[in-house]
Amino acid sequence: MGSAVERTDEHVREYLIYRGFTNTLKHLDNEIKADKEKGFRVDKIIDQLLQFIQSFDLSGLKEYWLYLDRRLFCRLEDVYRSTVNKLRTSLYRYYVINTIQVIRNLEKTQEFFQKQALELQGQAEWRDWFILPFIPAPEQNPAFSPYFSRQWSDTFLVSLHNFLSVLFQCMHILLPVLLSFDAEVQKTTSLTEENEQLCQMVRLKPISSVLLFLAPAEACIDVPDSSAHTRTSGGVGEGGGLSAEQPFIKLSQEEYGEHHSSIMHCRVDCSGRRVASLDVDGVIKVWSFNPIMQTKATIMSKSPLLSLEWATKPDRLLLLGSGVGTVRLYDTDAKKNLYEMNIDETHPRILSLACSPSGSSFVCSAAALSRSGSVESVPRLPIPVSGQLLLWDTKTVKQQLQFSLEPEPVAINCTAFNHNGNLLVTGAADGVIRLFDMQRYESAMSWRAHEGEVYSVEFSYDENTVFSIGEDGKFIQWNIHRCGVKQSEQLLPQDATGPFILSGYSGYKQVQVPRGRLFAFDSEGQHVLTCSSSGGLIYRLTNGDPALESVLSLGGHKAPVVTVDWCSAVDCGTCLTASMDGKIKLSTLLAQKS
């Protein structure tokens, strides 16, 4: 319970810092320092009692024990009152023995009996103790010698420690909601880890050994011999059975749980060493996952943050787009802001950022406020709001130009460069995909791609096509050499395209429109990772009908996944899936070469 209180205190402190409640934070820190319950840390409480004993502060010892009695012990059933009384008696005896053992100062010993005479003289367990100050060598007296032994003192302290520990564990029925929530999180995490270990054990068993656990009627299945070479370690396909020739094996899945609200963006830097994640409260976490998962920096902003992007050169820099018309350049190593650029007051919502592979410039999509004046505009308006697409120089921190958006200025939701930065593809709120020539800084082509908004766009591996996901729920591949020509089309489930819905108790419902990347490709561009209600889904691109073939469900989430990313290195790839409950799952995959 002590660790839960510490974590909850830290969450409250983080919230007060984020809200700017500095006076409240100071009062909280002062209260925590003066906390007599020591955050329900048993070791701290015993240390405080020992401090009073060792300093011969009898008044402090009595007041502190009385406080514990009023605050904690009084909640116990009457059957435990005798245990509390025995512990108090032993505590006072420990004090008396300490006055004789440490300083052999009879004044302190006599002082104890004088002050406690009225309270103790009627108690049978103290009747013989009043002669203690007058015995020349009490440690040699048969009646008192056991109390001077190390064994007695150790036994008493252990008994007190165990009693307090059990008491705090049994106080769960009295916990406030915050502490109960922490306990539930710890329980869920423990069960998830145990379940993952069991799943790994099942995956590592050969098919023949798994069939031994089936009923006789179910076991009448032909087990393939070694020549068939069926791979079963990868995972479960869409149908729920073991799929042959799995392209990936899920080696492990870890959780990053430092966010406390729904994730908007989650991106790996170009070196694959760090991750930046942004939640709807405007909190950004910069963290690493190799060799261990560790938070490197926490960035908080009083103004809402809507977008982020890693710089390519140097890769330690992070671009942060706000809802008040500014873009910040943040150094994740130095943990400080380098620049803050004012984009446009009339278009304050920075919806998308994309850094050129050369590192010399970045593209910024700025949009006007919705009619309601909010920066999030939920739900989206049927009529697209006005927007701008701007190119900024990273070194001079100045705007280079504004792109022309035909037929009218519209909010650009998503942007992506090709490998050398010569082409830029954008998806807009009017359902149009626009392809820009970055050498001439002009639109090369545009076409209506979706009914409704375009949520996410990416170049294919060979960069001859562009993939997009839109509000109509379609995943479409477009030929960029033939304007507006589809190469493939696949209708995705709603939980892959949004809007994402998280339902709770008493009719509570949270709705989030897509903001981050909705799909990501592996290193060879043959597989794509998408969102789902329970985790990431990996599909194989077929170039046929259907366009996608489900090959692996990553799972692990209890809330809808709203954004994904895929970082590949050699044969091991890392999939990031972020959900509305603030959890980010990091799944490590091993590619199986056929």
Side-chain angles (χ1 to χ4, degrees):
M1 182 175 176
S3 58
V5 171
E6 285 187 359
R7 284 193 297 270
T8 305
D9 288 347
E10 198 58 36
H11 295 334
V12 173
R13 293 185 81 260
E14 185 176 337
Y15 174 77
L16 293 177
I17 293 172
Y18 168 71
R19 293 299 307 276
F21 297 156
T22 54
N23 289 331
T24 306
L25 179 62
K26 290 178 182 178
H27 286 297
L28 175 64
D29 288 337
N30 292 334
E31 292 283 349
I32 291 176
K33 289 179 182 178
D35 179 24
K36 291 185 177 181
E37 294 167 9
K38 308 299 179 184
F40 297 102
R41 288 278 302 274
V42 176
D43 54 342
K44 298 292 185 181
I45 292 177
I46 291 180
D47 286 344
Q48 181 64 69
L49 291 170
L50 292 178
Q51 183 178 339
F52 287 130
I53 292 174
Q54 291 165 3
S55 61
F56 308 104
D57 186 356
L58 179 59
S59 298
L61 181 65
K62 290 176 58 180
E63 290 177 5
Y64 191 62
W65 185 264
L66 185 61
Y67 174 85
L68 295 177
D69 193 23
R70 290 197 307 264
R71 186 76 174 87
L72 303 175
F73 305 151
C74 66
R75 302 182 183 184
L76 295 172
E77 298 177 7
D78 292 338
V79 67
Y80 298 109
R81 175 50 55 182
S82 61
T83 303
V84 175
N85 291 335
K86 288 178 181 178
L87 288 172
R88 182 189 60 182
T89 298
S90 296
L91 181 69
Y92 285 167
R93 287 177 175 176
Y94 190 96
Y95 175 89
V96 173
I97 297 300
N98 186 68
T99 61
I100 298 174
Q101 275 187 323
V102 177
I103 60 174
R104 286 196 172 274
N105 188 341
L106 292 179
E107 291 182 2
K108 289 293 182 182
T109 310
Q110 292 172 353
E111 178 189 33
F112 172 84
F113 287 101
Q114 288 172 359
K115 290 184 176 181
Q116 297 297 108
L118 292 177
E119 179 182 348
L120 302 180
Q121 64 184 358
Q123 299 179 16
E125 57 267 31
W126 283 99
R127 189 172 302 156
D128 297 333
W129 282 73
F130 281 86
I131 63 172
L132 185 66
F134 308 101
I135 299 176
E139 64 270 16
Q140 298 177 7
N141 187 290
F144 300 105
S145 59
Y147 299 99
F148 287 85
S149 66
R150 179 68 178 271
Q151 181 181 359
W152 181 86
S153 60
D154 289 347
T155 302
F156 162 66
L157 293 177
V158 169
S159 299
L160 180 59
H161 188 284
N162 292 341
F163 176 80
L164 292 173
S165 298
V166 173
L167 171 64
F168 293 154
Q169 290 176 9
C170 295
M171 284 177 60
H172 63 277
I173 57 174
L174 304 170
L175 291 181
V177 175
L178 279 177
L179 286 179
S180 300
F181 174 77
D182 187 275
E184 289 297 321
V185 168
Q186 297 302 315
K187 181 179 178 181
T188 302
T189 302
S190 176
L191 291 175
T192 302
E193 292 174 352
E194 182 180 354
N195 182 61
E196 183 62 29
Q197 291 175 359
L198 293 174
C199 289
Q200 292 291 348
M201 292 172 60
V202 172
R203 293 192 190 104
L204 293 175
K205 287 183 178 290
I207 292 181
S208 57
S209 63
V210 174
L211 292 177
L212 293 176
F213 296 97
L214 298 177
E218 298 173 308
C220 298
I221 302 174
D222 293 332
V223 180
D225 58 22
S226 58
S227 61
H229 194 61
T230 302
R231 292 173 179 160
T232 62
S233 300
V236 180
E238 193 173 27
L242 293 172
S243 176
E245 297 295 337
Q246 285 287 349
F248 302 100
I249 296 176
K250 186 169 74 169
L251 299 178
S252 65
Q253 188 176 75
E254 300 175 85
E255 180 181 283
Y256 184 77
E258 293 297 315
H259 287 280
H260 308 295
S261 59
S262 180
I263 307 297
M264 294 174 64
H265 296 273
C266 183
R267 298 296 302 271
V268 186
D269 69 359
C270 56
S271 67
R273 295 183 296 111
R274 284 169 295 194
V275 178
S277 46
L278 165 65
D279 62 34
V280 295
D281 289 336
V283 178
I284 292 178
K285 298 284 185 178
V286 178
W287 47 284
S288 61
F289 54 86
N290 191 10
I292 60 172
M293 196 172 285
Q294 184 179 19
T295 301
K296 299 294 185 181
T298 299
I299 311 166
M300 295 184 179
S301 175
K302 291 185 178 180
S303 59
L305 294 176
L306 304 180
S307 55
L308 66 79
E309 174 72 350
W310 284 103
T312 50
K313 297 178 182 178
D315 61 5
R316 72 175 188 276
L317 301 182
L318 194 61
L319 291 167
L320 307 175
S322 74
V324 293
T326 61
V327 173
R328 277 191 283 165
L329 192 62
Y330 183 85
D331 190 325
T332 59
D333 284 350
K335 298 181 181 180
K336 65 178 182 180
N337 292 319
L338 299 182
Y339 302 104
E340 184 168 276
M341 295 153 270
N342 294 311
I343 305 300
D344 187 355
E345 292 182 355
T346 60
H347 296 84
R349 295 187 302 144
I350 311 302
L351 298 183
S352 179
L353 295 165
C355 194
S356 170
S358 66
S360 60
S361 60
F362 69 91
V363 166
C364 167
S365 164
L369 290 172
S370 66
R371 292 176 181 175
S372 63
S374 69
V375 296
E376 280 297 311
S377 69
V378 180
R380 303 271 183 127
L381 294 173
I383 301 175
V385 297
S386 172
Q388 295 179 343
L389 186 64
L390 310 171
L391 182 68
W392 278 70
D393 189 293
T394 308
K395 296 180 180 178
T396 63
V397 200
K398 293 182 180 179
Q399 180 180 321
Q400 288 183 264
L401 60 94
Q402 178 178 341
F403 291 94
S404 175
L405 300 175
E406 300 295 338
E408 60 182 355
V410 66
I412 301 294
N413 291 331
C414 46
T415 53
F417 280 98
N418 71 335
H419 79 284
N420 58 13
N422 289 337
L423 293 175
L424 173 72
V425 64
T426 67
D430 58 0
V432 174
I433 289 179
R434 296 170 174 83
L435 190 68
F436 291 90
D437 183 343
M438 295 303 292
Q439 293 179 317
R440 298 181 178 179
Y441 300 116
E442 61 183 25
S443 176
M445 62 178 71
S446 63
W447 64 93
R448 180 165 296 279
H450 293 274
E451 294 295 328
E453 303 193 26
V454 182
Y455 286 151
S456 198
V457 291
E458 296 290 340
F459 280 97
S460 63
Y461 178 73
D462 59 13
E463 298 185 350
N464 288 317
T465 61
V466 167
F467 289 88
S468 64
I469 285 181
E471 190 176 3
D472 54 10
K474 295 178 180 179
F475 179 75
I476 306 177
Q477 183 180 15
W478 305 93
N479 190 323
I480 65 173
H481 303 293
R482 300 172 62 191
C483 182
V485 175
K486 296 180 185 177
Q487 286 200 189
S488 65
E489 178 179 325
Q490 178 82 32
L491 185 63
L492 295 175
Q494 182 181 343
D495 58 5
T497 61
F500 305 104
I501 300 173
L502 179 63
S503 300
Y505 298 107
S506 304
Y508 168 79
K509 182 181 290 185
Q510 179 181 349
V511 180
Q512 180 174 330
V513 297
R515 289 297 182 193
R517 177 182 289 188
L518 295 183
F519 64 95
F521 295 107
D522 68 340
S523 60
E524 297 179 354
Q526 298 179 359
H527 299 87
V528 61
L529 171 66
T530 68
C531 303
S532 81
S533 59
S534 59
L537 280 178
I538 296 179
Y539 295 90
R540 180 185 289 109
L541 300 174
T542 65
N543 294 322
D545 189 17
L548 299 176
E549 176 188 349
S550 178
V551 295
L552 181 61
S553 173
L554 298 180
H557 285 276
K558 294 188 176 181
V561 171
V562 295
T563 184
V564 298
D565 203 2
W566 194 335
C567 173
S568 298
V570 196
D571 285 338
C572 285
T574 301
C575 292
L576 292 169
T577 52
S579 60
M580 292 185 71
D581 59 1
K583 307 301 181 185
I584 301 173
K585 297 288 184 178
L586 189 145
S587 304
T588 302
L589 306 181
L590 177 64
Q592 299 196 88
K593 303 299 182 180
S594 56

